[in-house]
Amino acid sequence: MNQTAAHILDLLTEWPNRRMGSSAEEEAREALSAELAGEPGIFMTEEGFRAPVSSLQTSVILTFLQCIILLFAPAYPFLAAITSMMLFLSWMRSIDNQKAPFTWLLGRQFTANLTASKGKGSNLVLVISNLEPRRIQWHPHWLTRFTQHHMMMFIVLLGLMPSLVSWLLFMDVYIPAVLVWLLTAALLIVLGYTVYSVTVASSASKQADMSIAGAVAIVRRLWRDMPDDTEVRLLISTGRSSGFLGTQHYLDQHREEFEGRSVYVLNVDMLKGNSVAFSRTYGSLSPVHENGIMVQTASLLAGNKLFPKIQACTKLGYSFDSIWFTRAGMTSVTITSGYLNANAAPPSTSEEKLETVSILIEYGEAVVRSALTLQSAKERSHD
């Protein structure tokens, strides 16, 4: 039973509702800072930024903006068409966890990332977990069709129909005003269907706590037996529900530090039930393939005699914090539950949670150390 993981789990239970920017999130971050400060030789920082509270808030705002555009389309059809298309493209990029121009302008709330690092070298091991519990999750039955007709219907109604109506008006094609109102109602109905199709994740805080406890324990193990020529850094990010903007902000602020170094990203996210898996492919709309030596090592270790129950998983319709690093070309892998059993109940007792976290810790540390060893062996063979 890992004492570090047990202590972090107990510590975080005092702040179960850590909504981004809330006092509970700040207090949990301060408690983690105090806990990590006891480690010898580490450098720790908090980096503040402002971001929207959630992507759902962004979707609601954009939906109403589209409705307003429809109402003004008869008077200003060309302007409405262009504006509607720009909103549509921006919204598409936002839900696909890509940079969108409006994302940092809506409903901003102050929050912060927490980092702790030790060591120096040409290698950087970055272990990530997210402090903010997932407030909502897609219903499993609806999630299986996320990238199919329901989501695409919402996208088309939200983005293309306002533009289409505006262009038709611009070309003097007669469209009764009632059609504009019907399209507006359709947007609201589809938005309501989308909201109805999500369920509040009552176990979200527990899953986030398990992920953070595992990430901290992995990093502490690496700190106490540091790999050669390597810096080991822990990133406790936030902004999960606003499109993982915490990790986007961190990458933007530290991109120069990564240049000329071999960066190995290990993301720990959303343990559920008693299963542990590693992700190969995920993504909201466009698939993202985790790449390089990290995912190769995770695949080699999964299913062997040390980790016989760990499997690979694909999570289309959902993304992870590692997405910004993966798209930047860094080698990465995410350890999660994989939702191998969508109906599995999350661990309810401390012993069950620690059993799952212990598997995660052993596997995560093995992936990092093996990836560093294999990469070093490859480089020596080329020399």
Side-chain angles (χ1 to χ4, degrees), residues 29-303:
R29 190 166 53 247
E30 289 175 353
L32 285 171
S33 298
E35 176 67 22
L36 293 168
E39 288 287 337
I42 71 162
F43 176 73
M44 189 160 51
T45 60
E46 284 191 23
E47 299 180 356
F49 63 95
R50 294 182 181 275
V53 173
S54 72
S55 56
L56 184 61
Q57 175 193 25
T58 303
S59 297
V60 171
I61 291 173
L62 288 177
T63 300
F64 280 99
L65 285 176
Q66 292 283 37
C67 292
I68 292 172
I69 289 172
L70 277 173
L71 295 178
F72 282 92
Y76 306 99
F78 181 74
L79 180 61
I82 297 299
T83 306
S84 176
M85 184 59 67
M86 290 176 63
L87 283 175
F88 168 65
L89 294 175
S90 296
W91 184 77
M92 282 278 287
R93 291 182 62 85
S94 176
I95 62 174
D96 199 34
N97 296 295
Q98 300 188 49
K99 288 188 177 181
F102 65 85
T103 305
W104 295 94
L105 302 177
L106 301 174
R108 298 191 300 171
Q109 180 70 36
F110 183 81
T111 184
N113 292 323
L114 172 66
T115 62
S117 65
K118 182 178 181 179
K120 295 181 179 179
S122 60
N123 299 319
L124 171 61
V125 173
L126 185 61
V127 181
I128 306 173
S129 193
N130 198 296
L131 182 62
E132 180 189 356
R134 193 179 180 193
R135 301 287 297 186
I136 58 174
Q137 67 180 29
W138 301 105
H139 190 281
H141 176 64
W142 194 79
L143 179 61
T144 60
R145 298 173 293 178
F146 186 90
T147 56
Q148 298 179 22
H149 59 280
H150 289 98
M151 192 62 194
M152 297 314 296
M153 180 180 68
F154 185 32
I155 291 171
V156 169
L157 286 173
L158 183 63
L160 294 182
M161 283 197 174
S163 299
L164 177 62
V165 170
S166 301
W167 281 114
L168 291 174
L169 288 169
F170 179 69
M171 292 185 293
D172 294 327
V173 177
Y174 176 71
I175 299 179
V178 68
L179 179 58
V180 175
W181 285 103
L182 287 174
L183 288 172
T184 303
L187 286 170
L188 295 176
I189 291 170
V190 174
L191 178 64
Y193 174 78
T194 304
V195 174
Y196 177 77
S197 297
V198 300
T199 57
V200 175
S202 60
S203 61
S205 295
K206 296 178 183 179
Q207 296 173 37
D209 292 351
M210 292 167 64
S211 301
I212 295 169
V216 171
I218 291 170
V219 168
R220 276 187 160 172
R221 285 191 174 195
L222 294 169
W223 282 344
R224 289 168 187 176
D225 184 12
M226 288 289 292
D228 295 334
D229 192 29
T230 300
E231 176 189 351
V232 177
R233 188 180 302 181
L234 173 69
L235 169 60
I236 304 296
S237 65
T238 185
R240 170 202 295 274
S241 58
S242 55
F244 309 103
L245 292 184
T247 44
Q248 179 194 333
H249 174 80
Y250 186 81
L251 179 60
D252 289 343
Q253 295 297 311
H254 295 267
R255 194 178 294 271
E256 291 183 0
E257 291 182 30
F258 303 142
E259 294 177 0
R261 306 176 77 182
S262 298
V263 183
Y264 303 82
V265 179
L266 176 69
N267 183 46
V268 184
D269 193 10
M270 298 304 289
L271 299 180
K272 181 181 179 181
N274 296 315
S275 61
V276 177
F278 72 95
S279 176
R280 288 183 182 274
T281 302
Y282 58 87
S284 299
L285 293 179
S286 60
V288 177
H289 305 284
E290 295 200 294
N291 52 57
I293 194 70
M294 288 293 282
V295 74
Q296 293 170 16
T297 305
S299 181
L300 287 171
L301 292 174

